[in-house]
Amino acid sequence: MTHPIIPIHVEGACNGSPALRIVEPSLDGPQQQLQSIVSTLKPLVDAEFGNELPAGAWLRGLHLSEGEATLTIAPDLACRGHAVATLAFDVMRRLLPNTDIYVGAAPDA
């Protein structure tokens, strides 16, 4: 007797990759810190998407000032947006101790 194969999908899981628009991210602050954050975050985001992406596919802005950091992710990350935001927050918390950190999505364009 053959048994039918019933695929099981986790509810809310990401299937496939969204169509990502690549935009040059706005970077403002000390160059060394900006580069450190983006270069630490990029391989983690690439792993989340399962392929290598330019930073402009998921990052819209990173602004660093005294005691404050704001990172803006692309609005079109679909179900991966939460994971990217969480990764960004964790990386920034580790690299920027004693800094107020804000992570959010850019408004749809």
Side-chain angles (χ1 to χ4, degrees):
M1 173 181 215
T2 358
H3 298 287
I5 296 174
I6 302 171
I8 299 173
H9 301 283
V10 177
E11 186 176 21
C14 289
N15 294 319
S17 290
L20 300 174
R21 193 168 48 98
I22 300 171
V23 175
E24 187 65 33
S26 169
L27 303 175
D28 180 40
Q31 193 62 35
Q32 186 175 0
Q33 284 183 313
L34 292 167
Q35 196 63 2
S36 177
I37 293 167
V38 173
S39 65
T40 301
L41 193 52
K42 187 177 177 333
L44 301 173
V45 173
D46 289 347
E48 174 65 30
F49 279 89
N51 62 341
E52 192 170 334
L53 299 171
W58 52 269
L59 178 64
R60 290 297 177 261
L62 176 55
H63 302 280
L64 306 176
S65 60
E66 190 64 37
E68 189 171 294
T70 304
L71 186 136
T72 308
I73 61 173
D76 50 357
L77 299 182
C79 59
R80 288 187 168 81
H82 182 266
V84 172
T86 300
L87 289 169
F89 182 81
D90 290 343
V91 165
M92 292 169 64
R93 184 176 58 183
R94 188 177 76 237
L95 296 178
L96 303 171
N98 302 318
T99 301
D100 294 332
I101 298 169
Y102 305 93
V103 177
D108 287 334

